[in-house]
């Protein structure tokens, strides 16, 4: 019994101090925060602590065979996995249960993890000297991680990246910025960069679709993200805090966020120590203190983010409006030039008037010339009669005029290639007895 006294005293001193708002931790120790259902937890060293309330059985040894941690959950299921994939445990709020028969792959560090139909899945990541742009999933029956098939070609998929800002909604995976390689560059592995574009993957047809390009103001690697924050992704960076809704192209900026907290967050291997408990509406942080130690602190949602929000677009969509406008403009120009360059019958005749004069009789030419001079107006048929000599009778002049019109009609259709009929006739609107004619 006397050997239990020191341990009992240790627990009596440890537990009350732990549930206070602040707790001192070893700065260079192994710490990991995560939230599941109504509680938040701390993995510290070999122990698991419930930090939201005094919970039976805690703290306890966790017995996790992991080097680096990543927690993925929905409202009913929780998984903790090796950050680089391979090893997977389920978590029920009390115990971890190993599910895989595998090993730490070391191939998908800082991938974007999500649950699709309760299956643990990842996109992208970095490992074994390569950046990834594929989707993998944990096969519960095989107890192994498999490659998820997709229809889109490598070229029609997002550029490989890691430390990704992503979102999963419904049957769609949304991928945003991350650090990686641009495939279109020569020697891409020598031209690593922060990639700031946005994509959507549909699990209905296994295809990628590019949504647009953005300009999120963060610097790699100084940021971390919290998924499923108001169904969006909260990005905590040293220069600002943002909420990203990739699906609806919305960026929510919190200009009053406490950046003094974000700049003192404890991190190792670019992994920040922060979690959000949506039931408590509270953040838990591990921050670095000036005296060389780390401290567990908590802040309410409004206490950390403030209440002010600024809304803007997250990315520029691929708009076809300019293409449509330019196409319509081009069509208008073509139509304009078509009609402006298309000559009227009178213009065609005028252009060929010298040649016509050499090929037809003088009387026929005089009639045609009068019609051209009057075009596009009608002239009275009787005005053409005086083309012929005065010694002809009125009836003879009418007959010759009629013959001349018929001849000109045939000549212009054959020689000048004008569309027949070349001439139009009507009754004079003022005197119905008078017949009128014009070039059509």
């Amino acid at each position: 019994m006397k050997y239990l006294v020191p341990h009992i005293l240790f627990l009596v001193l440890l537990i009350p101090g732990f549930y206070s708002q602040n707790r001192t931790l070893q700065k260079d120790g192994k710490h990991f925060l995560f939230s599941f259902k109504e509680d938040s937890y701390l993995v510290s060293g070999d122990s698991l602590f419930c930090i939201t309330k005094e919970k039976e059985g805690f703290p306890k040894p966790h017995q996790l065979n992991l080097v680096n941690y990543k927690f993925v959950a929905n409202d009913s299921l929780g998984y903790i996995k090796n950050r680089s994939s391979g090893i997977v445990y389920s978590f029920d709020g009390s115990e971890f249960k190993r599910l895989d028969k595998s090993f730490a792959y070391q191939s998908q560090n800082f991938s974007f993890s999500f649950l699709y139909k309760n299956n643990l899945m990842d996109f992208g990541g970095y490992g074994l000297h390569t950046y990834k742009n594929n989707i993998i999933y944990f096969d519960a029956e095989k107890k192994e991680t498999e490659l998820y098939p997709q229809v889109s070609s490598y070229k029609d998929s997002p550029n490989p990246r890691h430390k990704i800002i992503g979102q999963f909604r419904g049957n769609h995976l949304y991928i945003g910025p991350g650090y990686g390689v641009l495939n279109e560059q020569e020697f891409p592995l020598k031209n690593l960069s922060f990639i700031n574009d946005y994509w959507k993957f549909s699990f209905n047809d296994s295809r990628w679709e590019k949504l647009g390009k953005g300009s999120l103001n963060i610097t790699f690697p100084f940021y971390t993200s919290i998924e499923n924050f108001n169904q969006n992704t909260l990005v905590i960076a040293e220069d600002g805090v943002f909420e990203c809704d990739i699906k609806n192209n919305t960026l929510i900026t919190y200009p009053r966020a406490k950046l003094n907290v974000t700049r003192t967050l404890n991190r190792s291997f670019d992994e920040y120590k922060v979690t959000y408990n949506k039931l408590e509406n509270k953040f838990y942080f591990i921050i670095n203190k000036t005296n060389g130690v780390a401290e567990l602190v908590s802040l309410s949602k409004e206490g950390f983010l403030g209440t002010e929000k600024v809304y803007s677009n997250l990315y520029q969509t691929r708009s076809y409006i300019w293409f449509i406008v330019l196409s319509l403009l081009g069509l208008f120009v073509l139509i304009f030039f078509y009609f402006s360059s298309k000559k009227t019958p009178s213009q065609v005749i005028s252009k060929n008037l010298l040649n016509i004069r050499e090929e037809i009789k003088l009387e026929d030419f005089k009639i045609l010339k009068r019609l051209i001079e009057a075009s596009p107006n009608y002239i009275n048929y009787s005005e053409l009669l005086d083309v012929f000599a005065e010694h002809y009778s009125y009836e003879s002049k009418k007959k010759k005029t009629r013959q001349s019109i018929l001849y000109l009609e045939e000549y212009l259709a054959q020689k000048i290639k004008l569309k027949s009929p070349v001439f139009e006739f009507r009754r004079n609107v003022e005197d119905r007895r008078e017949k009128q004619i014009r070039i059509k």
Side-chain angles (χ1 to χ4, degrees):
M1 182 69 180
K2 63 180 180 179
Y3 297 106
L4 296 176
V5 172
H7 298 285
I8 294 172
L9 288 174
F10 172 76
L11 291 175
V12 169
L13 293 173
L14 171 67
I15 294 175
F18 189 82
Y19 291 106
S20 63
Q21 184 174 358
N22 296 3
R23 176 171 175 79
T24 301
L25 301 168
Q26 184 180 347
K27 182 177 181 180
D28 297 326
K30 189 73 175 177
H31 311 303
F32 179 73
L33 291 170
F34 68 95
S35 297
F36 179 59
K37 294 185 177 178
E38 70 271 14
D39 290 316
S40 296
Y41 301 86
L42 167 70
V43 175
S44 183
D46 295 329
S47 298
L48 174 67
F49 300 88
C50 179
I51 58 176
T52 48
K53 64 187 177 185
E54 186 172 345
K55 197 172 182 180
E56 184 179 354
F58 288 86
K60 63 169 67 175
H62 57 66
Q63 298 178 339
L64 293 169
N65 185 24
L66 299 175
V67 177
N68 295 302
Y69 307 103
K70 188 161 191 180
F71 190 79
V72 188
N74 57 23
D75 291 335
S76 59
L77 294 174
Y79 298 95
I80 195 166
K81 53 173 279 193
N82 193 61
R83 190 184 67 192
S84 61
S85 296
I87 300 176
V88 179
Y89 291 80
S90 64
F91 182 65
D92 61 4
S94 179
E95 300 290 341
F96 294 106
K97 179 183 177 182
R98 185 158 180 175
L99 304 178
D100 70 284
K101 290 184 179 179
S102 187
F103 58 93
Y105 286 164
Q106 302 300 327
S107 61
Q108 310 242 176
N109 283 285
F110 297 107
S111 59
F112 177 73
S113 302
F114 59 100
L115 296 179
Y116 171 60
K117 294 184 177 179
N118 293 332
N119 294 313
L120 180 60
M121 311 192 80
D122 290 85
F123 168 82
Y126 171 79
L128 305 177
H129 307 291
T130 59
Y131 292 84
K132 310 297 190 301
N133 71 340
N134 53 16
I135 299 174
I136 61 173
Y137 70 100
F138 179 71
D139 190 318
E141 293 184 0
K142 294 182 179 179
K143 301 184 183 299
E144 289 279 358
T145 300
E146 301 280 344
L147 186 66
Y148 188 85
Q150 62 183 52
V151 175
S152 298
S153 66
Y154 187 81
K155 181 181 178 182
D156 295 325
S157 302
N159 283 299
R161 65 195 73 184
H162 79 309
K163 198 156 181 155
I164 300 157
I165 296 169
Q167 181 183 27
F168 184 78
R169 298 276 289 274
N171 289 323
H172 295 95
L173 167 65
Y174 298 88
I175 290 301
Y179 188 77
V181 296
L182 295 172
N183 294 325
E184 57 270 21
Q185 286 189 346
E186 188 176 6
F187 308 114
L189 289 176
K190 294 182 180 180
N191 293 282
L192 302 176
S193 62
F194 186 74
I195 303 169
N196 215 328
D197 58 11
Y198 295 83
W199 293 74
K200 178 176 72 173
F201 181 81
S202 171
F203 281 93
N204 296 324
D205 57 15
S206 296
R207 293 182 184 275
W208 285 102
E209 174 191 351
K210 189 172 183 180
L211 300 176
K213 290 186 176 181
S215 56
L216 197 60
N217 186 26
I218 55 177
T219 303
F220 176 84
F222 306 112
Y223 62 91
T224 189
S225 60
I226 298 175
E227 286 78 41
N228 296 322
F229 181 84
N230 300 328
Q231 292 190 312
N232 302 325
T233 298
L234 187 72
V235 180
I236 301 173
E238 292 190 353
D239 296 325
V241 180
F242 316 91
E243 189 176 338
C244 299
D245 183 357
I246 303 176
K247 176 184 178 181
N248 297 305
N249 190 17
T250 302
L251 175 66
I252 305 172
T253 304
Y254 292 90
R256 302 295 182 185
K258 287 185 167 52
L259 299 183
N260 60 322
V261 175
T262 68
R263 290 166 183 166
T264 57
L265 283 175
N266 180 262
R267 64 176 183 265
S268 59
F269 300 103
D270 304 325
E271 190 169 43
Y272 288 64
K273 310 299 170 53
V274 58
T275 189
Y276 174 69
N277 187 303
K278 63 181 179 181
L279 184 68
E280 292 188 316
N281 217 17
K282 182 186 292 186
F283 289 91
Y284 290 92
F285 309 92
I286 297 176
I287 62 172
N288 293 328
K289 303 290 285 185
T290 55
N291 57 359
V293 298
E295 189 172 49
L296 175 66
V297 299
S298 63
L299 280 173
S300 67
K301 178 181 174 182
E302 290 187 357
F304 174 56
L305 298 177
T307 57
E308 185 178 350
K309 297 180 181 181
V310 178
Y311 290 82
S312 60
N313 286 337
L314 186 59
Y315 50 87
Q316 295 296 320
T317 58
R318 293 195 300 174
S319 175
Y320 296 99
I321 185 64
W322 286 111
F323 174 77
I324 295 172
V325 170
L326 290 175
S327 297
L328 291 175
L329 181 62
L331 181 62
F332 173 78
V333 170
L334 289 175
I335 293 172
F336 173 79
F337 276 107
Y338 173 77
F339 283 105
S340 62
S341 60
K342 186 179 180 182
K343 297 184 182 301
T344 64
S346 291
Q347 290 173 326
V348 174
I349 295 170
S350 298
K351 184 179 179 181
N352 294 276
L353 205 58
L354 293 177
N355 293 331
I356 294 173
R357 174 64 189 91
E358 295 176 357
E359 295 179 353
I360 64 177
K361 293 187 296 184
L362 179 60
E363 290 85 356
D364 297 332
F365 179 75
K366 287 181 177 180
I367 289 176
L368 182 62
K369 198 165 186 304
R370 286 195 179 186
L371 290 171
I372 291 173
E373 291 171 351
S375 181
N377 298 317
Y378 285 91
I379 62 173
N380 291 329
Y381 203 83
S382 59
E383 294 180 28
L384 303 176
L385 302 183
D386 60 0
V387 167
F388 299 96
E390 292 184 0
H391 65 270
Y392 287 112
S393 68
Y394 176 77
E395 292 298 328
S396 296
K397 288 182 179 181
K398 284 180 61 177
K399 182 178 179 181
K400 286 183 175 294
T401 301
R402 184 166 58 253
Q403 291 174 341
S404 182
I405 294 296
L406 292 173
Y407 170 75
L408 288 172
E409 179 83 42
E410 182 179 359
Y411 171 82
L412 294 172
Q414 292 181 1
K415 294 287 186 177
I416 312 300
K417 307 299 182 184
L418 293 179
K419 186 178 179 181
S420 184
V422 179
F423 304 110
E424 282 186 322
F425 300 90
R426 75 173 186 182
R427 290 291 176 183
N428 192 318
V429 294
E430 296 178 355
D431 185 354
R432 302 293 295 174
R433 295 172 298 176
E434 182 74 58
K435 186 176 181 181
Q436 291 186 317
I437 185 175
R438 74 170 181 176
I439 298 175
K440 190 173 181 180

